[in-house]
Amino acid sequence: MKTSEVREMSIADLKDRIQLDRNKLDNMKLNHAISPLEDTSEFKKVRKDIARMITILAEKEKEQK
């Protein structure tokens, strides 16, 4: 997900999306433990997306105060 797309999202949408991506990452880890995934670079992409969303969420919450 691009940064510009994340910045357009509302705070509530960001929180929901972060939770969904965390669940996705947990499921990917579980599936990888059972049988190796073909594309393990997806872990890195999802982690970076989560970090990007958390950073932008913090910026938006700081602006509101």
Side-chain angles (χ1 to χ4, degrees), residues 20 23 26 47 57:
L20 287 173
N23 291 339
D26 288 341
R47 281 196 317 264
L57 177 63

Side-chain angles (χ1 to χ4, degrees), residues 2-10 14 56 59-60:
K2 294 184 179 182
T3 305
S4 59
E5 295 172 354
V6 175
R7 290 194 186 278
E8 293 173 1
M9 297 172 75
S10 69
L14 278 172
I56 293 173
E59 290 174 359
K60 287 184 175 212

Side-chain angles (χ1 to χ4, degrees), residues 4-30:
S4 59
E5 295 172 354
V6 175
R7 290 194 186 278
E8 293 173 1
M9 297 172 75
S10 69
I11 291 176
D13 290 339
L14 278 172
K15 288 180 181 180
D16 291 340
R17 183 62 191 261
I18 289 169
Q19 189 61 40
L20 287 173
D21 280 359
R22 283 183 174 161
N23 291 339
K24 178 181 175 182
L25 184 62
D26 288 341
N27 287 335
M28 287 173 53
K29 287 179 183 178
L30 180 63

Side-chain angles (χ1 to χ4, degrees), residues 26-40 43:
D26 288 341
N27 287 335
M28 287 173 53
K29 287 179 183 178
L30 180 63
N31 290 337
H32 184 66
I34 295 170
S35 64
L37 298 176
E38 292 180 19
D39 184 19
T40 56
F43 288 119

